[in-house]
Amino acid sequence: MPIYEYVCKDCKAHFEVLVSLTSGKTIKCEKCSSLDVKKTVSASSFRMAGSGSSIPSGALSGCSSKSGFS
Ligand SMILES: [Zn+2]
């Protein structure tokens, strides 16, 4: 289950919310209960989204080292 990371624009706190809890629910800051929060990409959800991406980070570094050798 993906976890979305949010950052509060008021107190700059980072917190994570399970996506199942976010459906039809307002996201509030855990610290100051502000509604002015912004969704960011957390490490866990990025890994899941990365499965659909055709450019893994390993391919990028492998490519650059390869061109350096040849
Ligand atoms: Zn806050």
Side-chain angles (χ1 to χ4, degrees):
M1 188 176 292
I3 295 175
Y4 289 145
E5 184 176 311
Y6 287 81
V7 57
C8 173
K9 291 184 186 172
D10 282 348
C11 71
K12 314 292 187 201
H14 288 248
F15 55 96
E16 294 178 336
V17 182
L18 278 172
V19 71
S20 67
L21 301 175
T22 67
S23 53
K25 195 180 162 192
T26 307
I27 305 300
K28 278 200 297 184
C29 174
E30 288 183 340
K31 294 234 170 115
C32 69
S33 297
S34 169
L35 296 175
D36 196 6
V37 299
K38 194 177 102 176
K39 186 158 72 175
T40 65
V41 180
S42 75
S44 53
S45 66
F46 185 79
R47 219 177 296 128
M48 288 188 172
S51 63
S53 170
S54 60
I55 311 175
S57 58
L60 285 174
S61 59
C63 184
S64 61
S65 67
K66 195 192 222 172
S67 62
F69 271 114
S70 61

Short mmCIF file of all heavy atoms in Angstrom, two decimals:
data_model
loop_
_atom_site.label_atom_id
_atom_site.label_comp_id
_atom_site.label_asym_id
_atom_site.label_seq_id
_atom_site.Cartn_x
_atom_site.Cartn_y
_atom_site.Cartn_z
N MET A 1 0.85 -1.20 0.00
CA MET A 1 0.00 0.00 0.00
C MET A 1 0.88 1.25 0.00
O MET A 1 1.76 1.36 0.84
CB MET A 1 -0.88 -0.01 1.25
CG MET A 1 -1.93 1.08 1.26
SD MET A 1 -2.98 0.94 2.69
CE MET A 1 -3.84 -0.58 2.35
N PRO A 2 0.66 2.12 -0.96
CA PRO A 2 1.53 3.30 -1.03
C PRO A 2 1.27 4.28 0.11
O PRO A 2 0.15 4.40 0.59
CB PRO A 2 1.15 3.94 -2.37
CG PRO A 2 -0.22 3.43 -2.68
CD PRO A 2 -0.33 2.07 -2.02
N ILE A 3 2.34 4.92 0.48
CA ILE A 3 2.24 5.94 1.53
C ILE A 3 2.62 7.27 0.91
O ILE A 3 3.66 7.39 0.28
CB ILE A 3 3.17 5.61 2.70
CG1 ILE A 3 2.73 4.31 3.39
CG2 ILE A 3 3.21 6.76 3.69
CD1 ILE A 3 3.66 3.86 4.47
N TYR A 4 1.75 8.23 1.06
CA TYR A 4 2.05 9.56 0.56
C TYR A 4 2.68 10.38 1.68
O TYR A 4 2.24 10.34 2.82
CB TYR A 4 0.80 10.26 0.06
CG TYR A 4 0.27 9.68 -1.23
CD1 TYR A 4 -1.09 9.61 -1.47
CD2 TYR A 4 1.15 9.20 -2.19
CE1 TYR A 4 -1.57 9.08 -2.65
CE2 TYR A 4 0.67 8.67 -3.37
CZ TYR A 4 -0.69 8.60 -3.60
OH TYR A 4 -1.15 8.07 -4.76
N GLU A 5 3.70 11.11 1.30
CA GLU A 5 4.33 12.00 2.26
C GLU A 5 3.85 13.42 2.02
O GLU A 5 3.81 13.87 0.88
CB GLU A 5 5.85 11.93 2.14
CG GLU A 5 6.53 12.77 3.21
CD GLU A 5 8.04 12.63 3.14
OE1 GLU A 5 8.55 11.51 3.07
OE2 GLU A 5 8.71 13.65 3.14
N TYR A 6 3.47 14.06 3.07
CA TYR A 6 3.02 15.44 2.98
C TYR A 6 3.95 16.34 3.76
O TYR A 6 4.57 15.91 4.73
CB TYR A 6 1.60 15.58 3.55
CG TYR A 6 0.54 14.98 2.66
CD1 TYR A 6 0.28 13.61 2.67
CD2 TYR A 6 -0.22 15.79 1.82
CE1 TYR A 6 -0.69 13.06 1.85
CE2 TYR A 6 -1.19 15.25 1.01
CZ TYR A 6 -1.42 13.89 1.03
OH TYR A 6 -2.38 13.35 0.22
N VAL A 7 4.01 17.59 3.32
CA VAL A 7 4.76 18.56 4.08
C VAL A 7 3.82 19.72 4.39
O VAL A 7 3.06 20.18 3.54
CB VAL A 7 6.02 19.04 3.33
CG1 VAL A 7 5.68 19.62 1.97
CG2 VAL A 7 6.80 20.04 4.16
N CYS A 8 3.84 20.15 5.64
CA CYS A 8 2.99 21.25 6.07
C CYS A 8 3.65 22.57 5.70
O CYS A 8 4.83 22.79 5.95
CB CYS A 8 2.80 21.16 7.59
SG CYS A 8 1.93 22.57 8.26
N LYS A 9 2.87 23.43 5.05
CA LYS A 9 3.43 24.71 4.65
C LYS A 9 3.53 25.67 5.82
O LYS A 9 4.20 26.69 5.76
CB LYS A 9 2.56 25.33 3.56
CG LYS A 9 2.64 24.58 2.24
CD LYS A 9 1.82 25.31 1.19
CE LYS A 9 1.76 24.49 -0.09
NZ LYS A 9 0.81 25.09 -1.05
N ASP A 10 2.83 25.37 6.88
CA ASP A 10 2.85 26.26 8.03
C ASP A 10 4.03 25.97 8.95
O ASP A 10 4.80 26.86 9.28
CB ASP A 10 1.55 26.13 8.81
CG ASP A 10 0.42 26.87 8.13
OD1 ASP A 10 0.71 27.66 7.21
OD2 ASP A 10 -0.74 26.67 8.50
N CYS A 11 4.17 24.71 9.35
CA CYS A 11 5.23 24.39 10.32
C CYS A 11 6.34 23.56 9.70
O CYS A 11 7.26 23.15 10.38
CB CYS A 11 4.63 23.68 11.55
SG CYS A 11 4.08 21.99 11.22
N LYS A 12 6.22 23.29 8.40
CA LYS A 12 7.25 22.55 7.65
C LYS A 12 7.42 21.12 8.13
O LYS A 12 8.44 20.50 7.87
CB LYS A 12 8.62 23.26 7.72
CG LYS A 12 8.54 24.74 7.47
CD LYS A 12 8.16 25.03 6.05
CE LYS A 12 8.26 26.53 5.78
NZ LYS A 12 7.47 26.95 4.64
N ALA A 13 6.45 20.60 8.83
CA ALA A 13 6.55 19.23 9.31
C ALA A 13 6.27 18.25 8.18
O ALA A 13 5.40 18.49 7.34
CB ALA A 13 5.56 19.01 10.45
N HIS A 14 7.01 17.17 8.17
CA HIS A 14 6.76 16.10 7.22
C HIS A 14 6.00 14.98 7.92
O HIS A 14 6.33 14.63 9.04
CB HIS A 14 8.09 15.55 6.68
CG HIS A 14 8.78 16.49 5.75
ND1 HIS A 14 8.94 16.22 4.41
CD2 HIS A 14 9.35 17.71 5.96
CE1 HIS A 14 9.57 17.23 3.84
NE2 HIS A 14 9.84 18.15 4.76
N PHE A 15 5.02 14.44 7.24
CA PHE A 15 4.31 13.29 7.80
C PHE A 15 3.79 12.44 6.66
O PHE A 15 3.63 12.89 5.54
CB PHE A 15 3.18 13.74 8.73
CG PHE A 15 2.20 14.69 8.08
CD1 PHE A 15 1.01 14.21 7.54
CD2 PHE A 15 2.47 16.05 8.02
CE1 PHE A 15 0.10 15.07 6.94
CE2 PHE A 15 1.57 16.92 7.41
CZ PHE A 15 0.39 16.44 6.89
N GLU A 16 3.57 11.16 6.98
CA GLU A 16 3.15 10.22 5.95
C GLU A 16 1.72 9.79 6.20
O GLU A 16 1.29 9.63 7.33
CB GLU A 16 4.08 9.01 5.95
CG GLU A 16 5.48 9.38 5.52
CD GLU A 16 6.40 8.17 5.57
OE1 GLU A 16 6.11 7.22 6.31
OE2 GLU A 16 7.41 8.19 4.86
N VAL A 17 1.00 9.59 5.09
CA VAL A 17 -0.40 9.19 5.18
C VAL A 17 -0.62 8.00 4.26
O VAL A 17 -0.23 8.04 3.09
CB VAL A 17 -1.34 10.34 4.77
CG1 VAL A 17 -2.79 9.92 4.91
CG2 VAL A 17 -1.05 11.59 5.60
N LEU A 18 -1.22 6.96 4.79
CA LEU A 18 -1.57 5.84 3.94
C LEU A 18 -2.63 6.27 2.94
O LEU A 18 -3.56 6.99 3.28
CB LEU A 18 -2.13 4.69 4.80
CG LEU A 18 -1.08 3.81 5.47
CD1 LEU A 18 -1.77 2.85 6.43
CD2 LEU A 18 -0.27 3.03 4.47
N VAL A 19 -2.48 5.84 1.70
CA VAL A 19 -3.37 6.32 0.64
C VAL A 19 -4.81 5.91 0.90
O VAL A 19 -5.74 6.60 0.52
CB VAL A 19 -2.88 5.83 -0.73
CG1 VAL A 19 -3.11 4.34 -0.89
CG2 VAL A 19 -3.58 6.57 -1.85
N SER A 20 -5.02 4.80 1.56
CA SER A 20 -6.38 4.34 1.83
C SER A 20 -7.09 5.28 2.80
O SER A 20 -8.30 5.39 2.80
CB SER A 20 -6.36 2.93 2.41
OG SER A 20 -5.78 2.93 3.69
N LEU A 21 -6.30 5.95 3.60
CA LEU A 21 -6.89 6.87 4.57
C LEU A 21 -7.19 8.23 3.95
O LEU A 21 -7.93 9.02 4.50
CB LEU A 21 -5.94 7.07 5.76
CG LEU A 21 -5.56 5.81 6.52
CD1 LEU A 21 -4.53 6.13 7.59
CD2 LEU A 21 -6.77 5.17 7.15
N THR A 22 -6.60 8.49 2.80
CA THR A 22 -6.73 9.82 2.21
C THR A 22 -7.98 9.94 1.34
O THR A 22 -8.42 11.04 1.07
CB THR A 22 -5.51 10.15 1.33
OG1 THR A 22 -5.52 9.28 0.20
CG2 THR A 22 -4.22 9.97 2.09
N SER A 23 -8.53 8.83 0.91
CA SER A 23 -9.67 8.92 0.00
C SER A 23 -10.88 9.53 0.71
O SER A 23 -11.36 8.99 1.70
CB SER A 23 -10.02 7.54 -0.55
OG SER A 23 -10.19 6.63 0.50
N GLY A 24 -11.33 10.62 0.18
CA GLY A 24 -12.49 11.30 0.75
C GLY A 24 -12.23 11.89 2.12
O GLY A 24 -13.14 12.12 2.89
N LYS A 25 -10.97 12.12 2.41
CA LYS A 25 -10.64 12.65 3.73
C LYS A 25 -9.69 13.82 3.57
O LYS A 25 -8.80 13.77 2.73
CB LYS A 25 -9.99 11.55 4.56
CG LYS A 25 -9.93 11.88 6.04
CD LYS A 25 -9.25 10.71 6.76
CE LYS A 25 -8.77 11.14 8.13
NZ LYS A 25 -7.89 10.17 8.73
N THR A 26 -9.90 14.82 4.35
CA THR A 26 -9.01 15.97 4.27
C THR A 26 -7.72 15.70 5.03
O THR A 26 -7.75 15.19 6.14
CB THR A 26 -9.70 17.21 4.89
OG1 THR A 26 -10.96 17.38 4.28
CG2 THR A 26 -8.86 18.45 4.66
N ILE A 27 -6.62 16.03 4.39
CA ILE A 27 -5.33 15.80 5.03
C ILE A 27 -4.98 17.01 5.90
O ILE A 27 -5.02 18.15 5.44
CB ILE A 27 -4.24 15.60 3.97
CG1 ILE A 27 -4.62 14.46 3.02
CG2 ILE A 27 -2.90 15.32 4.64
CD1 ILE A 27 -4.81 13.14 3.70
N LYS A 28 -4.68 16.70 7.12
CA LYS A 28 -4.29 17.76 8.05
C LYS A 28 -2.90 17.48 8.57
O LYS A 28 -2.47 16.34 8.67
CB LYS A 28 -5.26 17.79 9.25
CG LYS A 28 -6.54 18.54 8.95
CD LYS A 28 -7.23 18.97 10.22
CE LYS A 28 -7.66 17.77 11.07
NZ LYS A 28 -8.43 18.22 12.27
N CYS A 29 -2.22 18.56 8.90
CA CYS A 29 -0.90 18.42 9.50
C CYS A 29 -1.02 17.73 10.85
O CYS A 29 -1.91 18.04 11.65
CB CYS A 29 -0.26 19.80 9.66
SG CYS A 29 1.29 19.75 10.56
N GLU A 30 -0.12 16.77 11.08
CA GLU A 30 -0.16 16.04 12.35
C GLU A 30 0.25 16.92 13.51
O GLU A 30 -0.10 16.67 14.65
CB GLU A 30 0.78 14.84 12.28
CG GLU A 30 0.27 13.72 11.39
CD GLU A 30 1.20 12.53 11.42
OE1 GLU A 30 2.37 12.68 11.80
OE2 GLU A 30 0.76 11.43 11.04
N LYS A 31 1.07 17.92 13.21
CA LYS A 31 1.63 18.72 14.29
C LYS A 31 0.75 19.90 14.66
O LYS A 31 0.44 20.13 15.81
CB LYS A 31 3.01 19.23 13.87
CG LYS A 31 4.00 18.09 13.70
CD LYS A 31 5.26 18.32 14.53
CE LYS A 31 6.10 17.07 14.54
NZ LYS A 31 7.37 17.22 13.90
N CYS A 32 0.34 20.68 13.62
CA CYS A 32 -0.38 21.91 13.92
C CYS A 32 -1.80 21.89 13.35
O CYS A 32 -2.51 22.88 13.44
CB CYS A 32 0.40 23.11 13.39
SG CYS A 32 0.44 23.19 11.58
N SER A 33 -2.21 20.77 12.77
CA SER A 33 -3.57 20.62 12.24
C SER A 33 -3.89 21.60 11.13
O SER A 33 -5.05 21.87 10.84
CB SER A 33 -4.61 20.75 13.36
OG SER A 33 -4.44 19.71 14.29
N SER A 34 -2.87 22.13 10.50
CA SER A 34 -3.09 23.02 9.38
C SER A 34 -3.58 22.24 8.16
O SER A 34 -3.19 21.09 7.95
CB SER A 34 -1.79 23.75 9.03
OG SER A 34 -1.92 24.42 7.80
N LEU A 35 -4.47 22.86 7.39
CA LEU A 35 -4.94 22.21 6.17
C LEU A 35 -4.08 22.58 4.97
O LEU A 35 -4.27 22.08 3.87
CB LEU A 35 -6.39 22.63 5.89
CG LEU A 35 -7.40 22.19 6.94
CD1 LEU A 35 -8.77 22.76 6.61
CD2 LEU A 35 -7.48 20.68 7.04
N ASP A 36 -3.13 23.46 5.20
CA ASP A 36 -2.28 23.92 4.10
C ASP A 36 -1.08 22.98 3.96
O ASP A 36 0.05 23.31 4.32
CB ASP A 36 -1.83 25.35 4.39
CG ASP A 36 -1.28 26.01 3.12
OD1 ASP A 36 -1.37 25.39 2.04
OD2 ASP A 36 -0.77 27.13 3.23
N VAL A 37 -1.35 21.78 3.45
CA VAL A 37 -0.30 20.79 3.29
C VAL A 37 -0.12 20.47 1.82
O VAL A 37 -1.03 20.62 1.02
CB VAL A 37 -0.62 19.50 4.07
CG1 VAL A 37 -0.73 19.78 5.55
CG2 VAL A 37 -1.88 18.84 3.55
N LYS A 38 1.07 20.02 1.50
CA LYS A 38 1.39 19.71 0.12
C LYS A 38 1.91 18.29 0.02
O LYS A 38 2.72 17.86 0.84
CB LYS A 38 2.46 20.69 -0.37
CG LYS A 38 2.64 20.68 -1.89
CD LYS A 38 3.65 21.72 -2.29
CE LYS A 38 4.96 21.03 -2.57
NZ LYS A 38 6.04 21.81 -3.06
N LYS A 39 1.46 17.57 -0.98
CA LYS A 39 1.91 16.19 -1.14
C LYS A 39 3.30 16.17 -1.77
O LYS A 39 3.57 16.86 -2.74
CB LYS A 39 0.91 15.42 -2.01
CG LYS A 39 1.25 13.95 -2.09
CD LYS A 39 0.05 13.13 -2.47
CE LYS A 39 -0.34 13.33 -3.91
NZ LYS A 39 -1.45 12.43 -4.29
N THR A 40 4.17 15.38 -1.19
CA THR A 40 5.50 15.23 -1.76
C THR A 40 5.70 13.75 -2.11
O THR A 40 4.86 12.92 -1.81
CB THR A 40 6.59 15.67 -0.77
OG1 THR A 40 6.57 14.79 0.34
CG2 THR A 40 6.36 17.09 -0.31
N VAL A 41 6.80 13.44 -2.71
CA VAL A 41 7.08 12.06 -3.08
C VAL A 41 7.94 11.43 -1.99
O VAL A 41 9.08 11.82 -1.80
CB VAL A 41 7.82 11.99 -4.42
CG1 VAL A 41 8.10 10.54 -4.78
CG2 VAL A 41 7.00 12.66 -5.51
N SER A 42 7.38 10.47 -1.30
CA SER A 42 8.15 9.80 -0.27
C SER A 42 8.98 8.69 -0.90
O SER A 42 8.74 8.28 -2.04
CB SER A 42 7.21 9.22 0.79
OG SER A 42 6.58 8.08 0.27
N ALA A 43 9.92 8.21 -0.15
CA ALA A 43 10.81 7.17 -0.67
C ALA A 43 10.03 5.90 -0.99
O ALA A 43 10.29 5.25 -1.99
CB ALA A 43 11.89 6.87 0.36
N SER A 44 9.06 5.56 -0.17
CA SER A 44 8.34 4.32 -0.36
C SER A 44 7.45 4.38 -1.60
O SER A 44 7.44 3.48 -2.41
CB SER A 44 7.50 4.00 0.87
OG SER A 44 6.69 5.09 1.22
N SER A 45 6.73 5.47 -1.78
CA SER A 45 5.84 5.57 -2.94
C SER A 45 6.64 5.77 -4.22
O SER A 45 6.23 5.37 -5.29
CB SER A 45 4.84 6.71 -2.76
OG SER A 45 5.50 7.94 -2.76
N PHE A 46 7.80 6.39 -4.09
CA PHE A 46 8.64 6.59 -5.27
C PHE A 46 9.12 5.25 -5.81
O PHE A 46 9.22 5.03 -6.98
CB PHE A 46 9.84 7.46 -4.89
CG PHE A 46 10.70 7.82 -6.08
CD1 PHE A 46 10.32 8.84 -6.94
CD2 PHE A 46 11.87 7.12 -6.34
CE1 PHE A 46 11.11 9.16 -8.05
CE2 PHE A 46 12.65 7.43 -7.44
CZ PHE A 46 12.27 8.45 -8.29
N ARG A 47 9.44 4.34 -4.91
CA ARG A 47 9.89 3.02 -5.32
C ARG A 47 8.78 2.29 -6.07
O ARG A 47 9.01 1.63 -7.05
CB ARG A 47 10.30 2.21 -4.09
CG ARG A 47 11.54 1.37 -4.36
CD ARG A 47 11.96 0.65 -3.10
NE ARG A 47 12.38 1.53 -2.04
CZ ARG A 47 11.91 1.49 -0.80
NH1 ARG A 47 10.99 0.62 -0.46
NH2 ARG A 47 12.34 2.32 0.11
N MET A 48 7.56 2.43 -5.60
CA MET A 48 6.43 1.79 -6.26
C MET A 48 6.15 2.42 -7.62
O MET A 48 5.92 1.75 -8.59
CB MET A 48 5.19 1.90 -5.39
CG MET A 48 5.25 1.00 -4.17
SD MET A 48 3.70 0.99 -3.30
CE MET A 48 4.02 -0.31 -2.12
N ALA A 49 6.21 3.73 -7.68
CA ALA A 49 5.98 4.43 -8.94
C ALA A 49 7.11 4.14 -9.91
O ALA A 49 6.92 4.14 -11.11
CB ALA A 49 5.87 5.92 -8.68
N GLY A 50 8.28 3.85 -9.37
CA GLY A 50 9.44 3.59 -10.21
C GLY A 50 9.30 2.34 -11.04
O GLY A 50 9.96 2.19 -12.06
N SER A 51 8.42 1.42 -10.63
CA SER A 51 8.24 0.19 -11.39
C SER A 51 7.64 0.50 -12.76
O SER A 51 7.85 -0.23 -13.72
CB SER A 51 7.34 -0.77 -10.63
OG SER A 51 6.06 -0.21 -10.47
N GLY A 52 6.91 1.61 -12.86
CA GLY A 52 6.34 1.99 -14.15
C GLY A 52 7.29 2.83 -14.96
O GLY A 52 7.09 3.04 -16.15
N SER A 53 8.35 3.32 -14.33
CA SER A 53 9.30 4.15 -15.04
C SER A 53 10.29 3.29 -15.80
O SER A 53 10.70 2.23 -15.34
CB SER A 53 10.03 5.05 -14.05
OG SER A 53 11.10 5.70 -14.68
N SER A 54 10.71 3.75 -16.96
CA SER A 54 11.63 2.97 -17.78
C SER A 54 13.09 3.34 -17.50
O SER A 54 13.99 2.82 -18.11
CB SER A 54 11.32 3.19 -19.27
OG SER A 54 11.46 4.55 -19.59
N ILE A 55 13.31 4.27 -16.60
CA ILE A 55 14.67 4.71 -16.34
C ILE A 55 15.00 4.51 -14.85
O ILE A 55 14.82 5.40 -14.05
CB ILE A 55 14.88 6.19 -16.69
CG1 ILE A 55 14.34 6.48 -18.09
CG2 ILE A 55 16.36 6.56 -16.61
CD1 ILE A 55 14.41 7.94 -18.45
N PRO A 56 15.45 3.31 -14.48
CA PRO A 56 15.93 3.12 -13.11
C PRO A 56 17.23 3.88 -12.90
O PRO A 56 18.00 4.08 -13.85
CB PRO A 56 16.12 1.61 -12.99
CG PRO A 56 16.26 1.10 -14.39
CD PRO A 56 15.52 2.08 -15.27
N SER A 57 17.51 4.29 -11.67
CA SER A 57 18.70 5.08 -11.41
C SER A 57 19.97 4.28 -11.72
O SER A 57 20.99 4.83 -12.11
CB SER A 57 18.72 5.53 -9.95
OG SER A 57 18.67 4.41 -9.10
N GLY A 58 19.90 2.96 -11.59
CA GLY A 58 21.06 2.13 -11.87
C GLY A 58 21.47 2.20 -13.33
O GLY A 58 22.64 2.17 -13.67
N ALA A 59 20.49 2.32 -14.22
CA ALA A 59 20.78 2.38 -15.66
C ALA A 59 21.50 3.67 -15.99
O ALA A 59 22.37 3.71 -16.85
CB ALA A 59 19.49 2.27 -16.46
N LEU A 60 21.13 4.73 -15.30
CA LEU A 60 21.74 6.02 -15.58
C LEU A 60 23.22 6.01 -15.19
O LEU A 60 24.08 6.41 -15.97
CB LEU A 60 21.02 7.13 -14.81
CG LEU A 60 19.65 7.53 -15.38
CD1 LEU A 60 18.99 8.53 -14.45
CD2 LEU A 60 19.79 8.11 -16.79
N SER A 61 23.52 5.51 -13.98
CA SER A 61 24.90 5.50 -13.54
C SER A 61 25.72 4.50 -14.37
O SER A 61 26.87 4.73 -14.68
CB SER A 61 24.98 5.15 -12.05
OG SER A 61 24.40 3.88 -11.81
N GLY A 62 25.08 3.37 -14.73
CA GLY A 62 25.77 2.37 -15.54
C GLY A 62 26.13 2.94 -16.92
O GLY A 62 27.19 2.68 -17.45
N CYS A 63 25.25 3.76 -17.44
CA CYS A 63 25.49 4.33 -18.76
C CYS A 63 26.65 5.29 -18.74
O CYS A 63 27.50 5.30 -19.62
CB CYS A 63 24.22 5.04 -19.24
SG CYS A 63 24.32 5.70 -20.90
N SER A 64 26.70 6.09 -17.67
CA SER A 64 27.75 7.10 -17.64
C SER A 64 29.12 6.46 -17.41
O SER A 64 30.11 6.86 -18.01
CB SER A 64 27.46 8.11 -16.53
OG SER A 64 27.43 7.47 -15.28
N SER A 65 29.17 5.40 -16.57
CA SER A 65 30.44 4.74 -16.34
C SER A 65 30.90 3.98 -17.59
O SER A 65 32.08 3.88 -17.88
CB SER A 65 30.33 3.77 -15.15
OG SER A 65 29.50 2.70 -15.46
N LYS A 66 29.91 3.47 -18.33
CA LYS A 66 30.22 2.72 -19.54
C LYS A 66 30.89 3.65 -20.58
O LYS A 66 31.90 3.32 -21.18
CB LYS A 66 28.95 2.13 -20.11
CG LYS A 66 29.22 1.04 -21.16
CD LYS A 66 27.91 0.71 -21.88
CE LYS A 66 27.73 -0.77 -22.11
NZ LYS A 66 26.39 -1.04 -22.64
N SER A 67 30.29 4.83 -20.75
CA SER A 67 30.82 5.76 -21.73
C SER A 67 32.20 6.27 -21.28
O SER A 67 33.05 6.61 -22.10
CB SER A 67 29.85 6.93 -21.93
OG SER A 67 29.70 7.65 -20.74
N GLY A 68 32.43 6.27 -19.96
CA GLY A 68 33.71 6.70 -19.46
C GLY A 68 34.81 5.70 -19.79
O GLY A 68 35.94 6.08 -20.06
N PHE A 69 34.44 4.41 -19.79
CA PHE A 69 35.42 3.38 -20.10
C PHE A 69 35.79 3.37 -21.57
O PHE A 69 36.93 3.22 -21.93
CB PHE A 69 34.85 2.00 -19.71
CG PHE A 69 35.18 1.63 -18.29
CD1 PHE A 69 34.20 1.51 -17.34
CD2 PHE A 69 36.52 1.39 -17.92
CE1 PHE A 69 34.52 1.17 -16.05
CE2 PHE A 69 36.83 1.06 -16.63
CZ PHE A 69 35.83 0.95 -15.69
N SER A 70 34.79 3.54 -22.42
CA SER A 70 35.02 3.44 -23.86
C SER A 70 35.22 4.81 -24.48
O SER A 70 36.21 5.45 -24.34
CB SER A 70 33.83 2.79 -24.54
OG SER A 70 32.68 3.56 -24.34
ZN ZN B 1 1.91 21.96 10.46
#
